[in-house]
Amino acid sequence: MKYLPATILIGALALAIHAQTPEPKPAETAPAKPAGTPRPKPDGDPFVKGSGSGDAAANEAQKEEESPNVLIVFENYSMNRNDAAALLEAEAHGAARYRRVLDLAKAGQAHLQTLTAVVTRSGSRMVNEAIDEVRYAVEFGPNAGAKGLPTAWETRNVGDTIEVEPTAGPDGHFCDLNLVPSRVTLAGFYDEAGMPGGPSTSLPYFNDQKITTSVTTDEGVPYFLSTYTPPPAQGAVNNAGSEDVWLAFLHTSIQKAPTPEAKSTIKADAPVAVNFEYSCYSLERAAAHDILVPPPLIGAAWDKVHALAGEKKAQLEFITSLRTKSGQRAVVEETQEVRYATEFNPPDTTATVETSKTDDGKGQNVSTTTTTHTSANAERIPGFATAFETRNAGINVEVEPVIQPDGLTIDLNQVVQNVRYLGTLKVPGVGAQYPPMPLFQTSKVTTSEIVLSGKNTLIGTFNPPGTDGVNEHTDSGRTWLLFVKATVVAP
């Protein structure tokens, strides 16, 4: 009881302070930010669910959500090196740099060189390839009559490849990306001089552009990744580089798992299957850019491409279909088998073998000498192939669907590939005397995504390689867009 007066006094002081404290002002609405302005990152790590000062219930709900699809667009612009240097010096932020590049492109001072789009689920790795397969000699015949002729080959993929693994943040805006875009071009072949008196051999040389990095992007905000400039041309005076510099940019869009507009009409206990239609359209790169940047909503890309097809501004390149059950892997192949030689026994000539004996005249200390020589009129033995391989050229689709409990949402793992046989690789100089090698061109996408039954959904670009130095190929200026339509049906 002796502490009661002090307790009463402290309580009275607290009431007095509370009475003098002003009421909090109502929350004010933040002014809108201009488009393309990066938003501040939330407290805590946005890539760890439940971190920061966010609402616990919202974080818990986020844990229950399906991993969203992430659309990544990767593009490269070339421009004069002086313009590029001025741009990088004047503009620090990626969005400002991108706006400046677009201004230069409108003035004809910058050019869109490559445009690649990939769609995959958050946390899943995706690979997009647009390549020519270049086979070149690596081993040569050891025999005297076959020096300089190849007996074995290796293959180098020439063109554009991008590997991406995105992780979408719980805020729905920021995205963490691990990515490796690369571009390989065939700079040409050259004849390498052999040993004195020996023949020359034909060897290729390649140019590489490659970025290996991890970044965090903000949805709707262009992200400047790096320069992506081709290396100097082989044999350039004083190793002089190109007059142009390439700048690489990223755009990302986190697309939440689609929500069915109505319930499935198929009975819960009825057996079901999934019908697939894969279609690919080509269109002018500028038109494809307008569809992909800024990234479209789910289904919007198909609507725009389909409308362009109706106007004869987009062309259907192929369509293929198959059906399978949920949880089962299915493969459809529409291919031509191309068989080609991979190892050779080089040409040679028959040799004459002579054996002579000498002794000391008494039949003792006998020695035998064997000599091998090739006469000028020796029989020629032609070279021949000793090993072969078979390559399937055409359309190949592998897909494994899993129907979700709502009966209308489908989780897909898929690999779509288009291989074209383009005849033989052109090799100048000494290489023209080698056995001809086949040239295959491959467009391939390996990805996972969530789709809604009956809706055409973008998978990504499905481009053939452009100007890559192989067989004098030139850039068509077109972009190929690949779509999938998966429909849950009763058998």
Side-chain angles (χ1 to χ4, degrees):
M1 295 296 292
K2 63 182 179 178
Y3 298 108
L4 182 60
T7 302
I8 296 174
L9 177 60
I10 293 172
L13 288 173
L15 290 173
I17 293 172
H18 177 73
Q20 297 176 9
T21 301
E23 293 293 330
K25 295 182 180 180
E28 297 180 357
T29 302
K33 293 184 178 181
T37 302
R39 55 180 63 81
K41 295 181 69 172
D43 294 337
D45 189 343
F47 305 109
V48 178
K49 295 180 180 180
S51 67
S53 58
D55 180 65
N59 290 329
E60 192 64 29
Q62 175 68 27
K63 293 180 182 180
E64 301 299 325
E65 291 184 1
E66 291 285 352
S67 298
N69 294 332
V70 181
L71 169 62
I72 304 106
V73 179
F74 175 71
E75 56 180 337
N76 289 288
Y77 287 86
S78 65
M79 65 189 68
N80 179 271
R81 66 171 70 158
N82 293 323
D83 291 337
L87 184 153
L88 296 174
E89 179 70 22
E91 306 290 354
H93 189 263
R97 288 178 174 178
Y98 188 70
R99 287 192 292 268
R100 177 59 181 153
V101 167
L102 293 184
D103 291 339
L104 290 173
K106 291 179 180 178
Q109 296 175 273
H111 303 280
L112 179 59
Q113 295 288 349
T114 66
L115 177 65
T116 304
V118 295
V119 179
T120 191
R121 291 187 65 180
S122 175
S124 297
R125 176 175 171 268
M126 194 269 196
V127 182
N128 187 302
E129 300 172 86
I131 57 174
D132 284 320
E133 300 174 12
V134 175
R135 293 177 59 82
Y136 58 97
V138 293
E139 296 181 10
F140 298 87
N143 298 329
K147 287 182 179 179
L149 293 180
T151 58
W153 278 258
E154 288 185 358
T155 300
R156 180 71 181 274
N157 290 339
V158 173
D160 293 286
T161 301
I162 183 169
E163 301 179 37
V164 182
E165 183 179 356
T167 302
D171 61 356
H173 294 292
F174 291 97
C175 187
D176 190 21
L177 297 174
N178 296 323
L179 73 161
V180 184
S182 65
R183 178 178 177 85
V184 179
T185 55
L186 174 63
F189 290 88
Y190 67 97
D191 294 339
E192 177 71 17
M195 298 295 290
S200 299
T201 55
S202 177
L203 298 175
Y205 51 91
F206 302 94
N207 288 337
D208 293 344
Q209 298 157 257
K210 186 175 182 179
I211 305 169
T212 303
T213 189
S214 298
V215 299
T216 300
T217 62
D218 188 358
E219 183 172 29
V221 180
Y223 189 95
F224 173 72
L225 190 62
S226 74
T227 56
Y228 202 65
T229 307
Q234 187 77 8
V237 178
N238 297 324
N239 201 35
S242 170
E243 290 294 329
D244 287 344
V245 170
W246 288 25
L247 303 182
F249 292 89
L250 284 175
H251 308 264
T252 56
S253 175
I254 301 173
Q255 304 178 338
K256 293 184 178 180
T259 303
E261 298 176 357
K263 293 184 178 180
S264 174
T265 58
I266 301 176
K267 294 182 180 179
D269 57 349
V272 295
V274 184
N275 277 349
F276 288 94
E277 292 180 6
Y278 287 87
S279 56
C280 186
Y281 289 82
S282 68
L283 60 162
E284 293 294 331
R285 186 172 299 146
H289 178 270
D290 292 341
I291 291 174
L292 298 173
V293 181
L297 299 175
I298 294 176
W302 167 261
D303 294 338
K304 294 178 180 179
V305 169
H306 197 250
L308 289 174
E311 300 172 5
K312 307 298 183 183
K313 296 180 180 179
Q315 176 179 330
L316 178 63
E317 296 293 344
F318 71 84
I319 185 169
T320 190
S321 180
L322 73 157
R323 174 184 287 198
T324 190
K325 297 192 299 184
S326 178
Q328 298 295 316
R329 174 177 171 268
V331 180
V332 60
E333 297 174 273
E334 302 167 345
T335 58
Q336 170 193 12
E337 295 183 1
V338 180
R339 190 166 174 80
Y340 58 96
T342 57
E343 296 181 11
F344 295 84
N345 191 13
D348 203 351
T349 54
T350 57
T352 301
V353 179
E354 296 180 355
T355 302
S356 62
K357 295 182 178 181
T358 59
D359 56 37
D360 58 2
K362 298 179 180 182
Q364 298 179 359
N365 300 322
V366 178
S367 63
T368 302
T369 303
T370 301
T371 60
T372 301
H373 68 275
T374 302
S375 66
N377 298 323
E379 180 183 357
R380 181 175 177 80
I381 302 174
F384 56 91
T386 59
F388 295 83
E389 290 183 1
T390 299
R391 182 67 185 278
N392 291 338
I395 303 295
N396 183 293
V397 176
E398 300 179 42
V399 61
E400 182 179 354
V402 177
I403 302 174
Q404 299 302 307
D406 60 19
L408 293 174
T409 306
I410 309 167
D411 187 357
L412 297 182
N413 292 319
Q414 54 196 349
V415 181
V416 186
Q417 180 176 249
N418 182 19
V419 178
R420 295 191 291 171
Y421 173 56
L422 302 181
T424 59
L425 177 67
K426 297 179 181 178
V427 182
V430 174
Q433 305 173 19
Y434 294 171
M437 286 291 101
L439 176 61
F440 296 96
Q441 188 174 92
T442 301
S443 302
K444 185 176 181 180
V445 175
T446 304
T447 186
S448 302
E449 61 181 319
I450 291 285
V451 301
L452 196 60
S453 177
K455 300 292 185 181
N456 284 283
T457 305
L458 177 68
I459 297 176
T461 52
F462 203 62
N463 300 326
T467 304
D468 58 5
V470 178
N471 281 21
E472 302 174 351
H473 291 170
T474 57
D475 186 2
S476 66
R478 297 179 69 83
T479 295
W480 294 34
L481 298 181
L482 180 65
F483 297 88
V484 61
K485 180 181 178 181
T487 307
V488 179
V489 295

